[in-house]
Every structure is written in structure tokens, then in C-alpha cells.
Amino acid sequence: MILSIKYFGLLAEVTGHSEEKIEFSGKSISDLKTILFQKYEELKNKDFQIVQNNELTTNETKVTATEIALLPPFAGG
Amino acid sequence: MNRYSRHIILSEIGQAGQDKLSKSKVLVIGAGGLGCPVLQYLTAAGIGTIGIIDFDIVSESNLQRQVLFGASTLGINKAKAAKARLEDLNNTILIKAYPEKLTHKNALTIFKNYDIIVDGTDNFSTRYLVNDASILTSKPLVYAGIYKFEGQVSVFNYKKGPSYRCLFPKQPETGSIPNCSEIGVLGVLPGIIGTLQANEVIKLILEIGEVLSGKVLYYNSLNHQINLTKVNRSEKEIQKVMDTKTVFEALDEEINCEIPIRIISIKDAINKKNIQWIDVRDTNVNPEINHSEVLQIPLKDLKQNLNKIELGKEQILFCQAGIKSKKAASILQNHKIHSSFSLKNGACEVMKYFNNKNYDR
């Protein structure tokens, strides 16, 4: 399926996109991470949560939505 | 006419609600981009007691977004300057300034005097400290963080709700995510996000509407994208913090035992002999300085490149504005390299120096 991935904060700079569509044939969030880390090696060193259906996911969460967001912590104030 | 008449005529607030506001005590950590709008609206709203903790002083580059300050407060401690401005805005409330750094040692004692804590800090070590101290003192925490044009807001530790650690369990390494002074921020953004925080504080006190607990709000000021993400309480993460209760105040020495960083001006730097220039900015940042005497080691790669530091020399570390270079100096200190200086001026000054030098030849 085609996933639409949103990158928030500095992840947009790391990946060069604020949003992109990717082809995904895996099952879990862990599979998705593998693909993203292959595509953007620098992502491995970043802290973020993967959000699906407005909920935080874990590695085991099944990918069911077509819209996914990567949310990093923000330091600034 | 009563100062609070526009509140009191609202059926959701009334005199009873206004009395609740005036009996409340709110502590705002950081009188910066977020802290200023929070403080301004809480003061105007008549919160009875407001605490402001900030060790920093007002500098000119703050004025683009830190709306409580001006030319007359440059160089003055932010907590004190904010207190003076806010007392003019509302002289019927009590404002207490803490012109000091929040530490593990003082956090619990200060937090105990307040009902609600507001996080307006600009770095992760203080954010996690604020979160943990809020858990240990059972205080609701109105959190926000900003990045360039984007912000996050949430209310933590509210009625058995989640904490910041339930959202982001692991504290990012220092320097891995830049803050506003390093990468810039749209001035109005903390105004928007800080005002959302002030709104949550008032809702918490009045017990009206839906408090932003159990979810984190994400806002992008460029495209008005808003996301609300559910956050569940993690008993494991909360318990980890509770387990530090007896040793919490002693945790400081590990975290805050920074050796002062030596700062140097370009003038003093160029008068030194036997120095090594190190550019710690990321690659491809303007102005690019390609000079045989300048070594490029981006801050994030510094730890892996300690072998490139020439120990017989003194290092002049520089970046765009003198922030990253301070971190670099601190990393070197931690690796027992005490011969470095952080350059006060940024790369532009270094470039000017090398350009003139080449010209002289």
C-alpha cells in the first residue's frame, strides 16, 4: 500500500521532506522503521515517536492507516 | 469598573471562578519565548501568586520574541525584569522572582509552594528535571516545546494522566536537537504556543473545558496543520521517577558539574600563538571557511574525532553564534581536554580574519 509519511520538526530537514508517499508492503511499525532507516540513515540517531491514527505506536504495532507521522521532541522555548 | 469584569460576566467564570484564579499559585520555569506570553496572560488574568525562575539575562536577540523586555532591561536578570514589568501590568497580585538556575537541589522545595508548574525551558536536561520534579511533588505540568515554526503543547501529571516521559521516555543527548538560539525561531511562534499554555493553566484552575491531558497537541504555523496525539500513562516510566525520590536532590552533581567554559574574543584569539582553529558547525553552512588552518569537525561528530585535537596547542572552537562552540568546549572538557576556548564571535568574524590575513600576505 501507499503510505503518506509526515515528518515534523527537524525530521523534515533530516529527510528533506515535510511529507512524502512511500510504497509499503511490510506489516508492522518495525518494518516501516527498517525502510525509513535504509532510506535516511541519519534518522537512526534521532529520537521520535511514530504516530498512527492519532496514537503513539510501538515496534509491534500493525500498520493499518495510510497516514503516519514522525513526531520528535522539541527543545526550544 | 472591576479589573476582572470581563471574566466575571462570563457564566463559565463568574466571581467564584475569578476567586479561584486569585487563590492559585503558578510557577513559570523560564521567562523566555514561551514564558513571556504565559506570564503576561496569567498576570493579567489575576492569578494570585506567580513565581518566575530564570538565571539568564536579557540580551538584544531576545527582544524579537520575548515581549516582556525592552531596551531598558538589557543585561538585567530575566526573572527580575519580568517581575518589574508584570507588577506594572497588575499590582494586585504577588510575583516572586527566582534569579537562579533550576537544579535537582532546589526544584522540589520551590515546586512545593505552587499549585501548577509551567514549562517554558529551552533545553532537554531542564525539561526532564521539571517533569520529574512535577511527578515527585504531584503538581500538574503545563508543557510546551517549540522548533522554528512548530510547537507542541500538553498537560502532564494531571489527575493520574501521563507525564513527559510517557511521551518521550529517553532524554535526547545534549546537542542532538538544536534549540532556538542555535537555529532560529519565528518570533510569533512562542507567542502562539505560550498563549495556548496560559489557556490550559486557566482551564485547569477553573475546571472548565477539556484539559489537554492524555494528548499532545502539535501545531505548524506555516500551514496551520494541527494534530492531537493520544498519550497513555506509562506506570513503568512514572515509577522510575518515583524511585529517585530519596536521592533526587543529590542528582545535580552528576548532571550540573560543568567546569566553566573559557570564552575568547576574536581579538584575543588572533593574538595567541600555537592555536588550532576548529569549525564545529554542520557542513554546508554559510559562510563556508575553507582554509588550511581551519579544521572542520561538526559538533555531532566531535566525540568520534578527538584524535584530531592537537594536544600541544590551544583550540579555538567556533560556530555561527558561539552556542555550539560552547557545547564543543564542554565535550572536550568531559574528555579531559582543557586547552580549548569557545569563540564569542561567530564564523563571520573568523572569515574576516582569514580574508584579511591572506590579503596581508
Side-chain angles (χ1 to χ4, degrees), chain A residues 6-13 18-19 42 45-49 51 54-56 69 71-77, chain B residues 33-34 121-124 127 145-148 150-152 164 167-170 172 176-177 218 225 228-230:
Chain A
K6 285 178 176 159
Y7 301 101
F8 295 161
L10 90 168
L11 302 182
E13 281 142 61
S18 56
E19 189 169 359
E42 212 188 323
N45 307 321
K46 301 295 171 196
D47 296 282
F48 58 87
Q49 289 285 6
V51 179
N54 299 324
E55 289 192 23
L56 302 182
L71 179 69
F74 293 164
Chain B
L34 291 170
T121 59
D122 63 356
N123 64 83
F124 286 118
R127 282 195 189 289
I146 52 175
Y147 184 84
K148 290 186 178 180
E150 298 159 86
Q152 294 169 355
Y164 187 52
L167 173 60
F168 296 114
K170 202 176 111 227
S176 68
I177 296 179
Y218 162 89
Q225 193 180 330
L228 268 176
T229 301
K230 213 173 132 195

Side-chain angles (χ1 to χ4, degrees), chain B residues 98-340:
Chain B
Y98 300 86
E100 58 195 281
K101 202 167 177 174
L102 185 78
T103 63
H104 281 78
K105 201 168 183 142
N106 63 18
L108 300 183
T109 315
I110 298 174
F111 279 30
K112 276 176 193 157
N113 297 318
Y114 294 88
D115 308 317
I116 298 171
I117 312 297
V118 180
D119 179 355
T121 59
D122 63 356
N123 64 83
F124 286 118
S125 54
T126 318
R127 282 195 189 289
Y128 280 82
L129 162 61
V130 168
N131 177 70
D132 297 353
S134 300
I135 293 175
L136 292 174
T137 52
S138 305
K139 306 289 179 185
L141 168 64
V142 180
Y143 153 86
I146 52 175
Y147 184 84
K148 290 186 178 180
F149 301 94
E150 298 159 86
Q152 294 169 355
V153 190
S154 190
V155 175
F156 294 125
N157 309 319
Y158 177 68
K159 294 187 176 169
K160 298 266 167 200
S163 77
Y164 187 52
R165 284 187 190 273
C166 306
L167 173 60
F168 296 114
K170 202 176 111 227
Q171 182 178 329
E173 244 185 80
T174 308
S176 68
I177 296 179
N179 65 27
C180 307
S181 54
E182 292 159 304
I183 41 137
V185 64
L186 178 72
V188 73
L189 177 80
I192 297 170
I193 303 296
T195 308
L196 289 173
Q197 282 181 289
N199 188 46
E200 288 307 308
V201 171
I202 300 218
K203 280 160 57 190
L204 268 172
I205 296 167
L206 296 175
E207 297 174 281
I208 57 172
E210 274 176 51
V211 170
L212 194 57
S213 167
K215 48 204 158 182
V216 58
L217 182 144
Y218 162 89
Y219 175 72
N220 184 327
S221 67
L222 290 181
N223 56 18
H224 293 290
Q225 193 180 330
I226 294 177
N227 286 57
L228 268 176
T229 301
K230 213 173 132 195
V231 184
N232 292 322
R233 180 181 167 97
S234 160
E235 292 303 335
K236 195 180 96 191
E237 291 302 326
I238 306 269
Q239 191 54 47
K240 271 195 229 165
V241 176
M242 294 305 286
D243 290 345
T244 65
K245 191 158 196 168
T246 52
V247 294
F248 192 76
E249 292 184 349
L251 288 175
D252 264 337
E253 281 155 74
E254 274 172 50
I255 293 162
N256 278 333
C257 61
E258 294 165 16
I259 309 162
I261 304 300
R262 295 192 294 176
I263 311 281
I264 194 165
S265 68
I266 186 87
K267 221 173 129 192
D268 292 337
I270 57 185
N271 283 328
K272 281 190 168 289
K273 293 201 173 71
N274 206 20
I275 56 172
Q276 184 182 23
W277 294 91
I278 303 178
D279 183 353
V280 298
R281 297 173 302 160
D282 286 335
T283 44
N284 304 322
V285 182
N286 281 324
E288 278 190 57
I289 300 177
N290 296 309
H291 193 281
S292 56
E293 286 177 43
V294 178
L295 181 64
Q296 270 144 356
I297 313 179
L299 179 65
K300 60 178 167 36
D301 303 327
L302 186 60
K303 274 188 227 165
Q304 292 80 44
N305 287 285
L306 294 172
N307 57 333
K308 291 186 184 158
I309 308 292
E310 294 179 47
L311 293 175
K313 292 185 175 178
E314 288 186 305
Q315 291 75 37
I316 307 293
L317 306 161
F318 68 91
C319 60
Q320 212 71 353
I323 312 270
K324 276 190 175 178
S325 56
K326 262 199 229 169
K327 280 190 186 150
S330 136
I331 289 172
L332 293 185
Q333 301 252 29
N334 290 339
H335 288 85
K336 305 216 179 332
I337 299 171
H338 301 297
S339 51
S340 73

